[in-house]
Amino acid sequence: MSADRYLFEVGALTIAFAGTPVSETALEYVRKGISGEIQAIIPNTALVGTYHILRGRYDFPREQAKNIVTNVLDAHRINWCSEISTDHVYKGLSLAYKDSIQGWDGYYSQLAKEYDATVLTIDSDFQDIKNISCELVLTDEQIDELTDYMKS
């Protein structure tokens, strides 16, 4: 896996834009992707998911969530994964079944394999998936801080 090629999972993107006390680390990865410092691969589906979570979980107004997500779409140095092919679905679901993981995790894992990329995520479950590399953008302490923040 390329150390500077990252597939952004929806959780990492959402945290970057959510404005939480722990958002800065994830936001720094986005900045590096936009500037071309790292090779960022972002599935369009992750942006739709980011919009959904910003609206539903973080109570962002529709216009603000839309503006955040569409502004990212203007980044020309991002490598956009624009389709969710039938092949991606089959292989992702096969991984999900084989490794006993969630369907979306299987999908992201399949894309990471296809793009020879490290999954950038907040979900520690990716550490248990065979034959992929992941990087957690939040420490255990930051996850605890985020949990406390979300409760308040």
Side-chain angles (χ1 to χ4, degrees):
M1 313 272 162
S2 176
D4 63 349
R5 186 178 301 148
Y6 293 97
L7 177 76
F8 283 66
E9 181 261 345
V10 67
L13 277 176
T14 302
I15 288 299
F17 302 124
T20 73
V22 298
S23 290
E24 188 56 39
T25 304
L27 187 55
E28 186 57 30
Y29 278 98
V30 173
R31 287 182 186 124
K32 287 179 179 181
I34 289 171
S35 72
E37 216 174 311
I38 62 170
Q39 188 175 1
I41 302 160
I42 300 179
N44 288 351
T45 52
L47 288 177
V48 174
T50 296
Y51 173 87
H52 176 77
I53 296 167
L54 288 174
R55 290 275 304 126
R57 188 99 196 230
Y58 293 95
D59 295 323
F60 275 52
R62 281 190 304 271
E63 185 174 8
Q64 183 181 8
K66 178 196 72 80
N67 289 342
I68 288 169
V69 171
T70 56
N71 283 342
V72 176
L73 281 169
D74 291 333
H76 300 292
R77 290 187 176 145
I78 301 288
N79 295 302
W80 297 106
C81 179
S82 60
E83 74 175 61
I84 181 167
S85 71
T86 306
D87 190 51
H88 292 142
V89 174
Y90 276 119
K91 289 179 179 177
L93 291 175
S94 293
L95 280 171
Y97 170 77
K98 185 179 74 147
D99 291 343
S100 297
I101 58 175
Q102 293 184 10
W104 280 108
D105 294 355
Y107 167 68
Y108 283 112
S109 298
Q110 177 56 38
L111 291 177
K113 288 179 180 186
E114 183 174 319
Y115 288 97
D116 190 30
T118 298
V119 177
L120 190 65
T121 184
I122 63 168
D123 184 351
S124 62
D125 290 346
F126 279 94
Q127 293 176 312
D128 299 327
I129 300 173
K130 298 174 187 128
N131 301 318
I132 68 153
S133 173
C134 79
E135 188 166 325
L136 299 174
V137 296
L138 300 179
T139 65
D140 290 340
E141 294 79 21
Q142 288 172 314
I143 291 288
D144 291 342
E145 185 177 352
L146 178 62
T147 301
D148 291 343
Y149 173 81
M150 295 300 294
K151 288 179 184 175
S152 61

